Amino acid sequence: MGYLEPIESVEGRRRFRVLSPVDGHEVGTFAVSTAADVKAAVAKARAAQPAWDATPVRERVAVVLRAVEILRKNADAYSDRMYAETGRAGLDTLMIELFAALDSMNFYARNAERVLADKTPGMHLLRMKKARIAYRPLGVVGVISPWNGPFILSLNPSVQALLAGNTVLIKPSEVTPFSGQLVAELFAEAGLPDGVLQVLLGDGETGGALLDAGLDKIAFTGSVRTGRKVGEACGRNLIPCTLELGGKDAMVVCADADLERAAGGGVFGAMMNAGQFCSSTERVYVEAPVAEEFIAKVVSKVKELQIGRDIGPFISSAQVAIVEAHVQDAVAKGAKVLAGGQREGNAFQATVLVDVTHDMDVMTEETFGPVIPIMVVKDLEEGIRMANDSQFGLGASVWTKDKAKGDRIARRLIAGAVMVNESSMTYGALEMPFGGRKASGVGRVNGADALQNWCHALPIITDRFGSKEEAVWYPYTPEKTQKLRKALDVIWGTPLRLFIK
Ligand code: NAD
């Protein structure tokens, strides 16, 4: 069953019906925004931007904090509306969408005035000048989001951009359009002025139109394939972008790990959101001496998981075929299924695979499903080598009771972020920069100073003393040349240079 059905076009706009992944009931219909719609929305956002820029940061913060209150009070209603088009199980919506959204809004709002305030670096050499850095909004920015975290991945970059004084256009995934639309509803209720945040529903047609619509930055979250197109367009248009793309996170389990915690963390990391998580635990390397015990613990935990209660259906109907193909490819090449392994309606059973190799798609391509493939390695060196043998580099984890060793291994793993004895933490740790290496992406979102990434850091250099002229201004004379030559030796040829920093 597809969850997205094309229906009759109206006024030149293609339309879709969105169906529930759980029981196929109609959730709603929407029309695909055309290039003309995108152009009109950009014009509206451009017109609204100067007034929003002129709105003091404190007032922007107040809007965001009102949104926190509205979302908290109406958490169940928001959750129900997200559930309608995602069909997620158990805690997933609460944890991934609501908790994360409240935290993002509160964190960035609370830090906005400090982060966006002018900075006054002392000048290391030109002390007669006053220097300030002002954080000026970029203008009109686009947020293109995927279906696996449709509310938070639309909201988090948008909140940052709004606080920084930009006006924002969100293009949510066509698979989960209404969760993206909820962001605009939330902020409208919180009192955001008209035109400051707009949502454009649609698919690649709308996203593609946005790329060439004269925006000032694009924050893209989605697949590597689309990410390349976004990167190319931003390169062509010479605008900045962040690309948050796919992952194949490795988990390295050392012989001295707490195996109970490692097994629990691995299973949660692999199965949460039915594995539809960019930083999902997608492959495990366990040292031989503890492999048997670790695998037994993982299998026992996975066998307790139930479809419906713990594992929801796939949010995108296309995903079940990908996961099934990865498991079948692995089995055909010699992998053994120790739990699960089968499709169940629109879901896939929580699955444990062993005897896997890097010749299998399940170890090299993003599976994005509830599958935990485990490879036994002879020692740690082999584990680190295998973990780094990937086209992706979003996240990774290492499990050991020796924290100093965990730290050393973390530095050798080629990944955007590494966890030690932790699972699925990185996107939610808002004070840390988040982003991938290799094919997992370009640029960083989040981090203590993330709001500055939505600004042009404008240096303003002002003369302090008002003398009539500077030592090197015209006309050039032999005296001026001599003075400058002498200064060169005094500054860098004497101990004075030690104080210049
Ligand atoms: P996708 O690339 O298919 O779609 C993402 C968005 O791009 C959608 O809104 C889509 O409509 C739009 N789009 C499609 N074609 C476009 C085009 N030509 N120009 C502009 N926009 C276009 O990705 P998806 O399947 O929705 O999302 C799943 C992927 O997202 C997975 O690979 C996952 O790992 C990744 N992801 C990454 C992160 C991260 O932070 N690194 C977070 C979540 C998801």
Side-chain angles (χ1 to χ4, degrees):
M1 179 177 58
Y3 315 147
L4 197 65
E5 288 180 351
I7 52 176
E8 195 189 339
S9 299
V10 171
E11 293 171 357
R13 290 180 185 86
R14 292 180 298 116
R15 289 196 312 142
F16 287 100
R17 174 183 293 129
V18 178
L19 307 176
S20 156
V22 178
D23 58 14
H25 81 265
E26 179 178 314
V27 178
T29 63
F30 72 93
V32 172
S33 305
T34 61
D37 296 330
V38 170
K39 198 171 162 194
V42 173
K44 187 172 174 179
R46 192 67 70 195
Q49 202 272 330
W52 183 241
D53 177 12
T55 304
V57 175
R58 188 170 303 143
E59 288 175 33
R60 296 182 212 151
V61 166
V63 173
V64 175
L65 293 179
R66 277 199 296 278
V68 170
E69 200 45 27
I70 294 165
L71 183 60
R72 186 193 61 76
K73 280 193 181 140
N74 299 287
D76 294 333
Y78 272 80
S79 174
D80 289 348
R81 289 175 66 189
M82 288 177 225
Y83 176 76
E85 62 183 4
T86 62
R88 284 199 183 104
L91 304 184
D92 284 345
T93 298
L94 192 58
M95 178 175 54
I96 297 169
E97 305 281 18
L98 294 169
F99 243 85
L102 289 167
D103 191 34
S104 158
M105 290 191 286
N106 190 61
F107 177 80
Y108 289 115
R110 300 278 175 212
N111 283 291
E113 285 195 84
R114 177 185 57 79
V115 173
L116 295 171
D118 285 6
K119 306 292 180 286
T120 48
M123 296 294 264
H124 77 284
L125 190 59
L126 304 172
R127 297 192 179 183
M128 315 75 84
K129 311 295 167 192
K130 181 175 174 196
R132 271 169 305 150
I133 301 172
Y135 294 93
R136 304 292 304 127
L138 294 173
V140 181
V141 301
V143 171
I144 302 178
S145 58
W147 49 259
N148 67 316
F151 183 67
I152 181 64
L153 296 172
S154 301
L155 178 138
N156 183 44
S158 300
V159 165
Q160 297 176 21
L162 288 171
L163 284 166
N166 302 280
T167 51
V168 179
L169 299 166
I170 300 175
K171 208 302 281 171
S173 168
E174 62 277 24
V175 178
T176 48
F178 305 120
S179 300
Q181 215 165 33
L182 281 176
V183 179
E185 278 182 44
L186 173 65
F187 278 97
E189 198 180 335
L192 197 67
D194 189 40
V196 173
L197 174 67
Q198 300 171 74
V199 173
L200 288 156
L201 299 187
D203 54 13
E205 176 187 339
T206 313
L210 208 50
L211 301 181
D212 289 315
L215 300 184
D216 298 301
K217 175 171 176 172
I218 291 186
F220 174 82
T221 311
S223 65
V224 174
R225 194 169 50 88
T226 314
R228 285 190 204 281
K229 291 185 197 165
V230 175
E232 280 165 16
C234 291
R236 190 170 61 242
N237 294 320
L238 296 177
I239 59 167
C241 64
T242 52
L243 304 174
E244 292 294 326
L245 311 179
K248 190 77 196 166
D249 289 12
M251 169 175 183
V252 178
V253 183
C254 303
D256 64 353
D258 175 337
L259 295 184
E260 185 60 28
R261 183 170 172 84
V267 172
F268 178 70
M271 307 300 168
M272 193 253 282
N273 208 28
Q276 306 159 110
F277 180 45
C278 54
S279 289
S280 199
T281 302
E282 289 244 342
R283 51 201 174 107
V284 180
Y285 304 95
V286 56
E287 277 194 277
V290 294
E292 198 178 323
E293 191 184 344
F294 172 75
I295 291 167
K297 283 180 185 293
V298 168
V299 169
S300 132
K301 287 179 194 301
V302 165
K303 283 190 170 162
E304 283 170 18
L305 301 180
Q306 290 174 18
I307 286 181
R309 188 192 67 186
D310 308 299
I311 309 279
F314 289 106
I315 300 169
S316 164
S317 62
Q319 201 57 36
V320 70
I322 297 171
V323 176
E324 202 169 29
H326 280 198
V327 172
Q328 284 171 357
D329 169 72
V331 170
K333 289 173 179 163
K336 242 197 272 149
V337 180
L338 296 188
Q342 298 296 322
R343 174 187 187 150
E344 249 184 70
N346 293 330
F348 203 86
Q349 296 169 342
T351 297
V352 182
L353 296 175
V354 290
D355 295 346
V356 289
T357 68
H358 279 207
D359 296 326
M360 300 170 183
D361 289 346
V362 80
M363 294 300 278
T364 54
E365 302 293 331
E366 189 178 44
T367 305
F368 227 51
V371 179
I372 183 163
I374 307 174
M375 183 186 264
V376 180
V377 290
K378 69 174 189 302
D379 57 23
L380 208 46
E381 285 307 311
E382 189 182 23
I384 294 169
R385 190 164 46 76
M386 297 308 267
N388 286 338
D389 176 28
S390 174
Q391 61 178 314
F392 296 104
L394 190 55
S397 65
V398 52
W399 301 75
T400 166
K401 284 187 193 139
D402 179 346
K403 290 184 187 144
K405 174 171 138 189
D407 201 86
R408 284 196 301 276
I409 297 168
R411 287 160 207 269
R412 294 180 59 194
L413 293 172
I414 306 169
V418 182
M419 293 162 285
V420 181
N421 301 331
E422 272 301 349
S423 174
S424 315
M425 289 283 300
T426 49
Y427 194 82
L430 297 178
E431 44 285 281
M432 312 284 252
F434 180 90
R437 298 176 70 177
K438 299 195 265 185
S440 290
V442 174
R444 295 293 172 264
V445 296
N446 297 347
D449 300 332
L451 302 188
Q452 291 173 2
N453 294 336
W454 294 94
C455 297
H456 170 68
L458 175 74
I460 303 174
I461 300 171
T462 311
D463 173 51
R464 289 169 68 186
F465 300 117
S467 60
K468 295 288 176 216
E469 65 164 329
E470 294 286 328
V472 294
W473 285 3
Y474 294 120
Y476 291 163
T477 62
E479 293 75 33
K480 285 181 181 175
T481 306
Q482 221 174 15
K483 262 192 187 168
L484 193 61
R485 182 66 189 78
K486 202 168 164 196
L488 187 148
D489 284 333
V490 171
I491 297 170
W492 288 289
T494 69
L496 187 59
R497 69 179 183 279
L498 304 176
F499 299 95
I500 297 175
K501 56 185 177 187

